[in-house]
Structures are given as C-alpha cells and as structure tokens.
Amino acid sequence: MTDRIPALRPQTLAAQGMGRVAEPYRDIVPPIHVATTYERGADLAFPGGRVYSRADNPSYDQAEALLASLEGAASALLFASGQAAAAAVFQSLTPGDGVLAPRNMYWALRKWLLDFMVPWGVAVDFYDNASLDSLAQKVRARRPRLIWIESPANPTWDITDIAAAAALAREVGAIVAVDSTVATPLLTRPLELGAQLVMHSATKYLNGHSDVIAGALATARDDAAWQRIRYARGGGGAVLGPFEAWLLLRGMRTLHLRVAAACANAQAIAERFHGHAALAQVLYPGLRSHPGHVVAARQMHGGFGGMLSLRLARGEAAAVAFTARLRVFKRATSLGSVESLAEHRASIEGPGTACPTDLVRLSIGVEHVDDLISDIEQALA
Ligand SMILES: Cc1ncc(COP(=O)(O)O)c(C=O)c1O
C-alpha cells in the first residue's frame, strides 16, 4: 500500500484511520471482510483484485496503509504475530547468509533464531547493543546480510544508534531491520535513519489494549526482497484474522494519545524513583544516567517510551516480593497496553536468561500517574 497523505500529521492520520470511508454506505469505520475466497470473472480474471485470503485480505488495507504512512514506508504488511513478522524477514534469507543480532533483545526471538535459523544454515552472531564499536567490529569481520536492531531493547532499554548502524551496513551491503515495538512510529522512524525494514509486535502499542496478537513490517522499498517477505507471509500462512485486523486499526486510531500519556507517566515515574534507597538502578532512556540517553534524545522524538525497569538493591527475592505487593500494576507479561503491567522478567525468560534476576520490568500505561507512583512506593516500603 502506498496510500500516503503527506500534508496531514500522524495524529490526524491515526485518529481518522487515514480518513477513508467505505463504499457503498460511506461507513466511517471499515467493514470486516470475512470471505476466504473471491469470485473470478468468466474470463478467469479477478475483477475485485483479490484471489484468496491467505495471500491478502481487504480487512488489512487500512491498517497497513496507516502504518506505512506513520513509518514513511513504501509498503506495510500485517502478520499473525510479532514473531511471525520477524520470522518472515529471517525466512526470506538464504542458508549461508549471516545475521548480526543484539545481545539484549526480545528473548523469544533470540531463542527462535538459535533453534530454527541456525540449524537452517543462517549464521547468527550477537553484538553488544550498547556499543557501536562492538557492532562496527562484527560488521567488518562478518559482513552480514542482515543487521537486526531492537531499540529501546528488552529489558534494559539499551539504545542502538540506528543511523550509525545503517552507515556501517552500507559499507558491506547489509540490510538493517529494526524491531521498533517499544519506540512506536511516533517516537522513532527507523526508515528515515537508513533502515530498510521496521518490525512491530502490533500486540503492543499499535493495538494497545491487550486483546490482539498481531505483527507488522514496513519497508523503505517495495522491491524483490519485500516481495519475498510478502511470499513468506502468504506461502507460510502467517496471516492475521480479519477481526483482529479490524481491532488493530481501532487501536491504532488512539496510538498518539496512548503513547504520549505512557511516555509522560514513565518519565515521571523514572525521575521519582531514580536514586531510591531500595533500588540499585532505574533503567529508562529518558534519564540522563541511562547509557543510551544521548543517542535516544537524538533518535526519539516526543518521549522516551513507556517501558522502564527497576533493579532492586536487595536482589532477586526483593524483586519478587516487590511484584507481589503491587496492587494497581497487574503482574503479567507483555507491554504497550493502556493498563500498567509489572513482571519479574527473569522468571518468564527461564533458565539461561541473561536478564538480571533483581530486575522488574514495568510497562507503564495511561492511568493517573499518582496512582502508579503510590503503588510503587507502597510496594518498595
Ligand atoms: C520487542 C518485542 N518484539 C517482538 C515481540 C514478539 O511479538 P508477539 O508476541 O506479537 O509475537 C515482543 C513480544 O513481547 C516484543 O516485546
């Protein structure tokens, strides 16, 4: 989809779902297309332009167009989940290709890369996301086909300099793909910084209500590589249901309001608890003390995201006890929704995790910030 209206601001495009109305009734909200198949003409052509819903579904059109517009992309695709979106990128590679991925990244994707892509013949190596030198050295030594970036990255919110990584990628002809789930297209536009692909777990901020599992990719160029990714979606069958696509568009219409509220709440909470006696560290890129703050201030606009982590001074038992005492935050995994969530992250990642065991990950929602602050205060006491 290339349906861009450059004169309108992202907030307007989001609120109006691209401003489209649906024929023939002029619906302000798009209908849901549940058909799996579409009638052929007597001449065997497809006059409606659709063939079979594993390849494409009209229910995706508006959400894909909106995401492409928000990212400044040539095209966007919805997937059955964030993992399915990421998997399509890696499956579009060829055995023998090299991938550089960050050491700190969404753990389930890291595990999937090692369990599926490595046996399939893709050479996966990891760089230190907080160190451009580490990335530069690995890029020049390994000359990868693909550099995967997650910024801010789970669960310490390390920041990778996307523009600098893209310059390194150009030296060796690599593709840069950015998991921008936490930044959202409102805070960072990776394609403008030189990336070719952006990935979202649309389960998180794009949808924003903890009621849809979905994923998305956006591309700088609608080229052969993008068509291969499209084929990975349709051929592999990692397709989103039409109702989920409809819910996703509904969620995206308030993306700007939710992201702004979550960023403001997270910044206030980070500042309030930075230096607290019960905490060894507050990890949030909006704090000057965060190692990625300077780069984040350059590549994130309008806020530093809604994700922060607390490291408890007294270690793992204190971290688990802290989550047990929370009353307003819900103890649950996931992120990017209107309600605030807290999670002892090492527990979900399981044995072998690199996540510090004293770390509690907070996904800050859009509640009144004073209620969130009081809840953390009483749980730390
Ligand atoms: C940063 C990030 N990327 C990717 C994913 C995977 O997305 P999904 O759960 O929609 O498959 C997640 C899920 O937690 C995530 O947090």
Side-chain angles (χ1 to χ4, degrees), residues 6-21:
L8 296 178
R9 290 169 177 77
Q11 293 82 350
T12 309
L13 293 171
Q16 296 198 356
M18 297 296 287
R20 290 186 185 168
V21 292

Side-chain angles (χ1 to χ4, degrees), residues 79-86 105-109 148 150-154 157 179-183 199-204 212-216 307 333-335 343 345 361:
F79 287 80
S81 67
Q83 285 288 88
M105 65 184 286
Y106 175 56
W107 70 282
L109 182 56
W148 188 263
E150 182 179 321
S151 185
N154 269 288
W157 320 116
D179 180 342
S180 200
T181 298
V182 171
M199 173 257 163
H200 290 278
S201 167
T203 312
K204 318 300 184 198
V212 170
I213 295 279
M307 296 304 300
T333 194
S334 200
L335 62 98
E343 173 177 50
R345 189 68 197 159
R361 190 180 86 169

Side-chain angles (χ1 to χ4, degrees), residues 239-324:
V239 288
L240 191 63
F243 182 55
E244 285 72 16
W246 183 89
L247 275 176
L248 174 59
L249 179 68
R250 187 169 76 161
M252 288 172 77
R253 292 174 71 157
T254 55
L255 179 66
H256 51 301
L257 301 176
R258 293 183 284 101
V259 168
C263 286
N265 281 355
Q267 185 75 39
I269 291 168
E271 285 171 11
R272 168 68 184 77
F273 291 100
H274 177 61
H276 190 287
L279 297 174
Q281 220 177 355
V282 175
L283 294 165
Y284 183 64
L287 290 177
R288 282 179 199 283
S289 59
H290 191 281
H293 177 72
V294 172
V295 176
R298 204 164 55 229
Q299 78 185 16
M300 300 181 81
H301 305 285
F304 295 92
M307 296 304 300
L308 61 90
S309 295
L310 306 178
R311 295 190 66 182
L312 278 285
R314 294 216 195 96
E316 179 171 8
V320 174
F322 167 74
T323 63

